[in-house]
């Protein structure tokens, strides 16, 4: 099974080079962020679930987040926090965390969560009369969608017999904690404590830069493919595409590198 996650920077059907990569790689499952349109061949090849995320202003984003899957998708929601106000944010600002289930040919069940954590915090006015202390990061003044995700995941990912893939653009990097500690390390620690491991940094023994800043620097890993132990034990290979193939083109494919994981 091959899984790809990629923030495609609002790519539509016209960005042919990007879709050529998807065709060539032929992932069984693709979790895409910032999708503006699909070429005609994609719905013929994949089951597609896509939602335009809703901003806190109430309007929908001009792009969608999506899951493409070779197997049929069950899109009934399953993420739920013990905190009602977290569930309200997830329901009312839907599309940032896209959840669905699938079942492989051998009967194995997989829960998929495509993550697009916004680069902005949850507005303070949304959190009036709410005690955010139970999920807030220790030394960060704001509340982010990564904390909403953590609360929604709860302890379900430790359940044996189910495979979990939680992947996408987290907009969080360990290097964001330098020189001021804003607890990005805590986001990763919380995921690990849920029994989820990032395939890419685990395989390399350190973070791997996946994002090119507007100034041209490539320093931060903000994209991740977290899986639980049953899948981690079957991980055979993980890679990102060469920067030159994505960034150093007359028509860059994206400002993110895709992460590609292959499981036995």
């Amino acid at each position: 099974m091959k899984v790809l996650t990629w923030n495609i920077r609002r790519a539509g059907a016209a960005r042919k080079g990007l879709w050529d990569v998807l065709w060539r790689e032929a992932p069984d499952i693709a979790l895409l962020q910032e999708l503006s349109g699909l070429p005609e061949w994609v719905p013929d090849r994949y089951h597609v679930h896509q939602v335009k995320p809703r901003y806190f202003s109430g309007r929908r984003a001009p792009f969608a987040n999506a899951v493409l899957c070779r197997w049929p998708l069950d899109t009934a929601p399953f993420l739920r926090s013990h905190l009602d106000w977290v569930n309200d944010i997830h329901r009312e600002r839907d599309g940032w965390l896209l959840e669905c289930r699938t079942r492989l040919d051998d009967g194995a069940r997989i829960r998929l969560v495509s993550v697009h954590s916004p680069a902005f915090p949850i507005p303070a006015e949304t959190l009036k009369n709410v005690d955010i202390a139970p999920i807030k990061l220790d030394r960060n003044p704001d509340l982010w969608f990564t904390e909403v995700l953590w609360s929604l995941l709860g302890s379900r990912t430790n359940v044996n017999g189910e495979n979990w893939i939680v992947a996408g653009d987290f907009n969080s990097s360990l290097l964001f904690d330098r020189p001021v500690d804003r607890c990005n390390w805590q986001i990763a620690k919380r995921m690990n404590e849920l029994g989820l491991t990032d395939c890419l940094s685990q395989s390399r023994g350190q973070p791997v830069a996946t994002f090119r800043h507007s100034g041209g620097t490539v320093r931060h890993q903000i994209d991740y493919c977290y899986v639980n132990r049953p899948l981690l034990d079957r991980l055979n290979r993980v890679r990102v595409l060469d920067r030159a193939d994505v960034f150093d083109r007359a028509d860059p494919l994206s400002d993110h590198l895709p992460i590609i994981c292959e499981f036995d």
Side-chain angles (χ1 to χ4, degrees), residues 118-238:
F120 49 82
I122 297 173
E125 57 268 24
T126 303
L127 304 170
K128 287 181 179 178
N129 304 316
V130 169
D131 179 13
I132 66 173
I135 70 169
K136 183 180 175 296
L137 298 173
D138 289 344
R139 289 186 292 279
N140 193 304
D142 298 309
L143 192 73
W144 305 81
F145 248 88
T146 45
E147 289 79 82
V148 171
L149 171 65
W150 174 64
S151 184
L152 289 167
L153 288 171
S155 59
R156 298 176 190 83
T157 54
N158 281 311
V159 176
N160 291 328
E162 284 201 315
N163 304 283
W164 281 77
I165 300 173
V166 182
D169 178 2
F170 282 62
N171 266 305
S172 172
S173 164
L174 296 180
L175 294 182
F176 289 165
D177 290 336
R178 302 175 187 173
V180 178
D181 182 3
R182 295 176 61 86
C183 286
N184 284 268
W185 61 268
Q186 191 176 9
I187 295 170
K189 181 174 182 287
R190 284 174 166 183
M191 297 295 283
N192 295 159
E193 289 174 346
L194 290 176
L196 295 167
T197 302
D198 172 47
C199 296
L200 183 58
S201 57
Q202 169 78 5
S203 69
R204 305 290 178 86
Q206 62 183 0
V208 177
T210 60
F211 175 69
R212 185 179 67 173
H213 191 270
S214 58
T217 59
V218 183
R219 297 180 58 236
H220 296 285
Q221 180 179 349
I222 65 174
D223 304 276
Y224 304 86
C225 184
Y226 283 96
V227 300
N228 65 342
R229 175 54 64 178
L231 273 179
L232 188 64
D233 289 343
R234 294 167 51 194
L235 181 63
N236 183 48
R237 184 187 183 199
V238 57

Side-chain angles (χ1 to χ4, degrees), residues 15-260:
R15 199 176 301 168
K16 185 177 181 300
L18 184 144
W19 299 107
D20 286 347
V21 169
L22 200 72
W23 177 274
R24 183 186 72 236
E25 291 292 340
D28 298 298
I29 298 170
L31 298 94
L32 304 178
Q33 301 84 50
E34 295 197 30
L35 165 72
S36 291
L38 292 168
E40 291 182 357
W41 62 265
V42 170
D44 294 333
R45 193 169 187 175
Y46 293 102
H47 300 271
V48 179
H49 177 44
Q50 59 178 317
V51 177
K52 289 185 175 181
R54 191 182 296 276
Y55 291 121
F56 284 91
S57 66
R59 65 183 176 87
R60 292 284 182 183
F63 56 82
N65 297 317
V67 175
L68 315 183
C69 187
R70 191 162 65 83
W71 302 279
L73 290 168
D74 175 359
T75 61
F78 55 81
L79 293 174
R80 184 162 184 82
S81 169
H82 68 286
L83 299 171
D84 288 340
W85 64 269
V86 171
N87 295 321
D88 290 343
I89 289 175
H90 179 45
R91 183 183 65 254
E92 296 168 4
R93 305 294 175 249
D94 60 316
W96 298 107
L97 306 174
L98 204 57
E99 61 210 283
C100 48
R101 301 178 182 89
T102 194
R103 187 183 292 267
L104 308 189
D105 294 332
D106 63 2
R109 296 171 298 169
I110 298 183
R111 294 187 183 233
L112 302 165
V113 183
S114 181
V115 178
H116 186 190
S117 180
F120 49 82
I122 297 173
E125 57 268 24
T126 303
L127 304 170
K128 287 181 179 178
N129 304 316
V130 169
D131 179 13
I132 66 173
I135 70 169
K136 183 180 175 296
L137 298 173
D138 289 344
R139 289 186 292 279
N140 193 304
D142 298 309
L143 192 73
W144 305 81
F145 248 88
T146 45
E147 289 79 82
V148 171
L149 171 65
W150 174 64
S151 184
L152 289 167
L153 288 171
S155 59
R156 298 176 190 83
T157 54
N158 281 311
V159 176
N160 291 328
E162 284 201 315
N163 304 283
W164 281 77
I165 300 173
V166 182
D169 178 2
F170 282 62
N171 266 305
S172 172
S173 164
L174 296 180
L175 294 182
F176 289 165
D177 290 336
R178 302 175 187 173
V180 178
D181 182 3
R182 295 176 61 86
C183 286
N184 284 268
W185 61 268
Q186 191 176 9
I187 295 170
K189 181 174 182 287
R190 284 174 166 183
M191 297 295 283
N192 295 159
E193 289 174 346
L194 290 176
L196 295 167
T197 302
D198 172 47
C199 296
L200 183 58
S201 57
Q202 169 78 5
S203 69
R204 305 290 178 86
Q206 62 183 0
V208 177
T210 60
F211 175 69
R212 185 179 67 173
H213 191 270
S214 58
T217 59
V218 183
R219 297 180 58 236
H220 296 285
Q221 180 179 349
I222 65 174
D223 304 276
Y224 304 86
C225 184
Y226 283 96
V227 300
N228 65 342
R229 175 54 64 178
L231 273 179
L232 188 64
D233 289 343
R234 294 167 51 194
L235 181 63
N236 183 48
R237 184 187 183 199
V238 57
R239 57 194 167 90
V240 294
L241 292 190
D242 189 271
R243 295 180 185 181
D245 295 335
V246 178
F247 299 152
D248 302 334
R249 302 165 47 110
D251 56 340
L253 302 185
S254 176
D255 50 1
H256 293 250
L257 297 175
I259 300 173
I260 303 162

